[in-house]
Amino acid sequence: MDRSSALTEQFLSSLPQADHALPNFIQAIREVATDVMTVEKNNADWTAARVLNRLAEPDRVISFRVTWEDDDGAVQINRGWRVQGSNVIGPYKGGLRFHPGVTLDDLRFLAFEQCFKNALTGLPLGGAKGGADFDPRGRSRSEIMRFCQAFMRALAPFIGPDKDVPAGDINVGTEEIGNLFGAWAQQAGLYQGALTGKGLSYGGSAVRTEATGYGLIYFLQAMLERMGEALEDKRIAISGKGNVARHAAAKAMALGAKVIALSDTAGTIHAADGLSRDALDWVAERKSAGESLGPLPNRIDAEFAEGATPWEYPADIALPCATQNEIDADQAQALVDNGVTLLAEGANMPTTADGLRVLRKHSVTYAPGKAANAGGVAVSGLEMSQMSQRRFMSADEVDTALKGIMADIHARVSEDGQRSGGVNYARGANVAAYRRLASAITAQGVL
Ligand code: NDP
């Protein structure tokens, strides 16, 4: 066993026994530990401060009941959580996810990853994540609004603009953020930026909706540029049909790439020469109507394959933008067999540990979500400053700032991930973020 693996095993065995029952959290922390334990052990202050152990244990986990009435007047009960990971470099910051399958395991891993992602942005943002096991599918708009209001009644005492600033995530988009913000402002009796992802008419930032997808493409451009290549005419397979997937697709198309696939839980739409703008608009319509993908109207030249994934088609680049653990070893092998040489994560941890092993074995250049999808939280950071200053930036200003932040993240990650013949982006991201967190933790003492 090499030094890094030995230190990782030693570190994992030092975690509380209960944490070993959280497979996603253990997967995320194992990947980080493999890269950073040698860095920690080479610095006496960081070793003494037990930096990674402190980051592995969230500052607090808030768990609460959400009680609300459905349209028939029946009482419904859901479970809500907020995991406040670390506020050592700024107020807690991270999205809220509403999904029946959400577990504390997911939120622990996401909050941990968020601390690293936010550190990479260079902005003063701590890490958190939250959500509820609420399924919005099949619910009316007024049921969703009442759920959001009930959720916020329980969460409001724990958040605020300098304390903890939630944003959207899966199934929490602009409408839900509107309901959550309205409920918070009424309860707190304040008009402040306690949430990001707000609408433009009440304190939101231009380009926030598009930021994660656009940022992913700016990061991809920086990777390609470093390799002496360009985005133009590259065939890109994208999973998902949500916020991240659609905006990544739109930006990639605008910059001359061919987006050959998009998907959802029902299947994949595919066009070997690239989907048209019309096809993308149709996908957006299905998403906002809450409908699954299916056969396309005749006017659109693309096919729908039920149950298929975007990785089953020839492509140069893969951008998983749907959900965690969507690329296992078989899917990774399919990507390799179909010619993919670069994968950048739009979703959080979409690649399993086995999937990663396959990508590495075949020398696929890999960019982890904590670096490649940081554009969303970066623009949330800009939304927080705009709200505090009561001065709002134009869409061009925000887009230019986003490009600058993604280029800076790419530079930071490339520096720490330098290796002969290229960049190990996963290691670079973990080490660069860890250094910033470790230096803040040791500067602030034993807390
Ligand atoms: P959305 O809710 O807007 O969309 C998610 C989409 O993924 C849905 O259309 C869903 O399909 C689809 N999906 C879920 N599971 C699968 C699967 N196994 N196979 C194919 N499609 C699937 O979410 P977002 O776009 O906001 O988020 C996507 C990912 O990006 C998440 O991991 C999130 O944490 C991450 N992320 C999001 C950010 C943001 O700013 N929104 C910021 C950084 C990361 P269906 O419609 O059938 O349910």
Side-chain angles (χ1 to χ4, degrees):
M1 200 185 277
D2 63 16
R3 180 162 184 258
S4 151
S5 311
L7 287 171
T8 300
E9 294 313 318
Q10 196 184 359
F11 164 75
L12 289 174
S13 65
S14 74
L15 295 180
Q17 200 50 43
D19 286 1
H20 290 272
L22 308 174
N24 287 325
F25 173 68
I26 291 293
Q27 180 184 333
I29 203 156
R30 179 187 286 279
E31 278 164 27
V32 170
T34 307
D35 291 328
V36 310
M37 280 317 289
T38 47
V39 178
E40 181 162 303
K41 291 292 175 198
N42 287 340
N43 182 306
D45 289 343
W46 296 349
T47 305
R50 301 186 68 200
V51 168
L52 196 60
N53 280 91
R54 281 159 74 174
L55 289 168
E57 188 65 42
D59 287 355
R60 67 191 62 76
V61 177
I62 302 149
S63 167
F64 46 91
R65 189 188 66 240
V66 185
T67 317
W68 57 286
E69 268 184 21
D70 68 18
D71 285 346
D72 299 327
V75 171
Q76 299 288 336
I77 298 167
N78 286 95
R79 183 173 286 176
W81 293 275
R82 184 71 175 163
V83 178
Q84 297 180 330
S86 167
N87 65 352
V88 77
I89 59 171
Y92 302 107
K93 181 93 197 82
L96 296 173
R97 176 177 291 193
F98 292 166
H99 194 280
V102 166
T103 62
L104 186 56
D105 175 25
D106 293 337
L107 300 177
R108 282 282 304 276
F109 111 68
L110 289 161
F112 175 76
E113 289 276 297
Q114 194 81 43
C115 296
F116 281 71
K117 181 189 307 193
N118 294 1
L120 284 177
T121 64
L123 301 173
L125 302 170
K129 199 81 186 187
D133 63 356
F134 168 71
D135 188 358
R137 207 175 286 211
R139 291 292 178 192
S140 69
R141 184 86 264 299
S142 54
E143 285 179 317
I144 293 175
M145 180 185 74
R146 284 197 298 280
F147 176 81
C148 289
Q149 291 169 340
F151 182 87
M152 191 47 81
R153 268 196 297 280
L155 184 64
F158 303 100
I159 67 169
D162 297 312
K163 198 173 180 182
D164 182 351
V165 185
D169 190 65
I170 292 178
N171 290 329
V172 180
T174 312
E175 282 179 314
E176 290 74 24
I177 291 291
N179 296 151
L180 291 162
F181 177 74
W184 178 83
Q186 187 185 49
Q187 238 169 293
L190 294 167
Y191 203 91
Q192 294 175 341
L195 287 113
T196 59
K198 300 187 291 300
L200 287 179
S201 57
Y202 60 94
S205 172
V207 193
R208 172 60 189 93
T209 316
E210 299 85 353
T212 308
Y214 282 15
L216 173 64
I217 300 301
Y218 297 148
F219 193 86
L220 174 62
Q221 274 187 308
M223 292 173 78
L224 290 168
E225 202 172 302
R226 199 179 184 287
M227 290 153 56
E229 293 186 37
L231 191 62
E232 218 168 6
D233 290 331
K234 287 276 188 298
R235 294 165 306 164
I236 307 185
I238 301 180
S239 64
K241 72 167 194 303
N243 176 299
V244 181
R246 281 184 288 111
H247 293 110
K251 182 54 82 178
M253 283 178 188
L255 293 172
K258 293 177 181 164
V259 174
I260 59 113
L262 283 166
S263 69
D264 68 5
T265 46
T268 293
I269 62 164
H270 170 249
D273 290 332
L275 296 166
S276 61
R277 190 63 230 198
D278 240 13
L280 185 57
D281 291 345
W282 176 81
V283 170
E285 279 164 29
R286 303 289 283 203
K287 175 70 180 164
S288 51
E291 285 172 18
S292 298
L293 293 177
L296 287 93
N298 286 337
R299 68 188 156 84
I300 299 175
D301 190 14
E303 62 186 18
F304 171 71
E306 198 177 330
T309 71
W311 326 130
E312 296 167 30
Y313 304 96
D316 305 304
I317 293 169
L319 303 179
C321 296
T323 191
Q324 68 249 22
N325 291 332
E326 50 169 309
I327 300 183
D328 59 14
D330 290 343
Q331 309 280 12
Q333 191 58 52
L335 283 171
V336 171
D337 294 343
N338 278 307
V340 166
T341 55
L342 190 160
L343 182 149
E345 296 180 337
N348 288 312
M349 211 169 77
T351 319
T352 66
D354 289 342
L356 268 180
R357 269 190 282 280
V358 173
L359 298 180
R360 286 186 181 131
K361 183 172 156 206
H362 294 278
S363 306
V364 173
T365 304
Y366 161 79
K370 61 173 80 78
N373 73 27
V377 75
V379 171
S380 276
L382 300 179
E383 180 176 333
M384 287 161 71
S385 6
Q386 294 173 73
M387 188 81 173
S388 310
Q389 293 170 25
R390 270 77 169 151
R391 181 195 161 270
F392 289 88
M393 295 157 81
S394 69
D396 279 350
E397 281 178 289
V398 178
D399 196 32
T400 304
L402 173 63
K403 278 183 194 150
I405 291 171
M406 296 314 291
D408 286 349
I409 296 176
H410 183 266
R412 262 178 220 123
V413 170
S414 303
E415 195 180 325
D416 272 309
Q418 201 70 247
R419 64 164 175 209
S420 65
V423 175
N424 178 339
Y425 283 96
R427 180 177 161 79
N430 287 333
V431 173
Y434 173 87
R435 283 188 205 288
R436 182 168 179 214
L437 291 162
S439 117
I441 284 175
T442 43
Q444 291 174 33
V446 179
L447 297 167

